[in-house]
Amino acid sequence: MMWEKLQPGEIAFEALRSPKFIADEVKMNLLHRICEMSQSVCYSYAGGAAIFAGSPGHNAWLWMEEGIREDERQLMLKGLVKLAGHTLRGITAEPRHAKLFAELYAMRYRMRPEYKMGMEAYYCPSIVYPSAVEGTLRQTVSSDAPLIAEFMAGFAESAYGYKVHPASQIPSAENTIATGNLYIWTVNEIPVSMAHIAHRSPRHARINYVYTPSYLRKRGYASATVAACCGLIVRENRVPMLYADLTNPDSNKVYQNIGFVESGKVADVKFVS
């Protein structure tokens, strides 16, 4: 049994339709997005026991079904490490698969694995709308770009710990607004929180870029924004899902209070030469 290279698009999506993958689909949801991208490299293990996909400049994602014998898992990953080549930026996978892949990759290519943030995948089977939160949701428009750039700069610092000037985020703000999938919560027409419906797969829609400025937190605005976005997704007959940084208990609690249910952890590993 061997790894088979897939063309991004319909052939790659065929591998994502297997019942075994669908059982882990929330946790591995980003594989849908990667497999859509024309520049991605995608592999499936014969029999559909594993899927690997990566795009330039980003971590590759790896899914492996449970129940594979450990000796076979080792052989599978050794073969995959060889196929992946020495330019891989990192790997994201279920923690034990990420660890084993990272160890094998680091050994072969003389790299140092750096274990970054772990994430919990969540899906929302039933929305719990927060009560008594003032305000309303609206879709962003082009004139919101300067404010959204400030929110994006704040998000970068809050989520990743690095500072960027808001002006540098204007192009990203404009592009994200143009998709029609970025929403803000407003109170008396003043934006106080944002959330983004980042991607739609056949059964789910993924939310990201959830951000409220620090001086406006603890008022329920993020909860209201995300819950309202969930409502939009449910009307499309999809299930809302998202990833939450495990080092941020406040955001995890917000999502759980809205009705999000834990669906599995993924680990993020970077490779440093």
Side-chain angles (χ1 to χ4, degrees):
M1 299 179 75
M2 301 282 290
W3 288 98
E4 176 189 4
K5 190 170 185 179
L6 307 174
Q7 291 300 314
E10 188 60 31
I11 296 175
F13 279 135
E14 194 63 38
L16 302 176
R17 295 189 181 112
S18 75
K20 290 176 182 177
F21 174 79
I22 288 173
D24 282 336
E25 186 173 33
V26 173
K27 182 168 62 178
M28 292 283 108
N29 189 267
L30 209 69
L31 276 168
H32 280 284
R33 177 70 185 104
I34 299 170
C35 287
E36 288 178 358
M37 301 167 70
S38 61
Q39 68 271 38
S40 294
V41 175
C42 308
Y43 289 96
S44 174
Y45 199 72
I51 301 167
F52 172 91
S55 60
H58 299 91
N59 269 27
W61 278 59
L62 168 67
W63 167 77
M64 303 186 81
E65 71 169 91
E66 295 301 320
I68 301 171
R69 297 192 323 269
E70 281 308 307
D71 58 337
E72 184 179 1
R73 194 183 306 276
Q74 285 263 358
L75 288 173
M76 289 169 66
L77 290 183
K78 284 179 179 177
L80 181 59
V81 162
K82 184 177 179 180
L83 286 172
H86 68 279
T87 60
L88 199 62
R89 180 174 178 177
I91 190 73
T92 302
E94 191 273 334
R96 68 190 179 100
H97 301 156
K99 184 175 186 293
L100 179 55
F101 181 95
E103 289 171 351
L104 294 170
Y105 191 90
M107 187 182 305
R108 181 180 181 93
Y109 297 112
R110 300 183 185 276
M111 297 282 193
R112 176 167 52 86
E114 287 190 351
Y115 293 84
K116 300 292 185 181
M117 67 179 181
M119 297 183 293
E120 180 73 43
Y122 286 95
Y123 74 103
C124 188
S126 180
I127 309 165
V128 179
Y129 290 94
S131 60
V133 178
E134 185 183 8
T136 187
L137 187 78
R138 75 164 170 84
Q139 194 177 45
T140 53
V141 295
S142 57
S143 60
D144 293 317
L147 176 81
I148 294 302
E150 289 184 20
F151 278 15
M152 286 181 166
F155 178 85
E157 183 172 2
S158 177
Y160 305 118
Y162 61 82
K163 291 188 177 183
V164 294
H165 195 282
S168 70
Q169 302 301 296
I170 290 284
S172 180
E174 291 174 340
N175 290 338
T176 308
I177 290 168
T179 68
N181 293 313
L182 184 64
Y183 293 86
I184 49 177
W185 190 262
T186 66
V187 177
N188 297 323
E189 300 187 2
I190 298 171
V192 295
S193 189
M194 75 172 179
H196 179 222
I197 302 175
H199 179 253
R200 292 167 173 85
S201 58
R203 287 164 289 278
H204 299 86
R206 176 169 49 88
I207 295 172
N208 68 2
Y209 260 147
V210 178
Y211 176 73
T212 305
S214 57
Y215 67 94
L216 292 170
R217 293 173 188 170
K218 307 295 184 184
R219 305 184 193 185
Y221 297 147
S223 299
T225 309
V226 173
C229 286
C230 287
L232 298 176
I233 291 167
V234 169
R235 286 202 285 274
E236 299 174 1
N237 292 316
R238 289 183 171 90
V239 178
M241 65 81 52
L242 51 77
Y243 295 101
D245 180 356
L246 286 168
T247 65
N248 189 337
D250 289 343
S251 64
N252 282 261
K253 186 170 179 58
V254 163
Y255 301 139
Q256 291 165 6
N257 288 343
I258 298 168
F260 279 88
V261 176
E262 294 178 351
S263 192
K265 294 173 176 57
V266 292
D268 185 12
V269 187
K270 303 295 184 188
F271 298 128
V272 181
S273 57

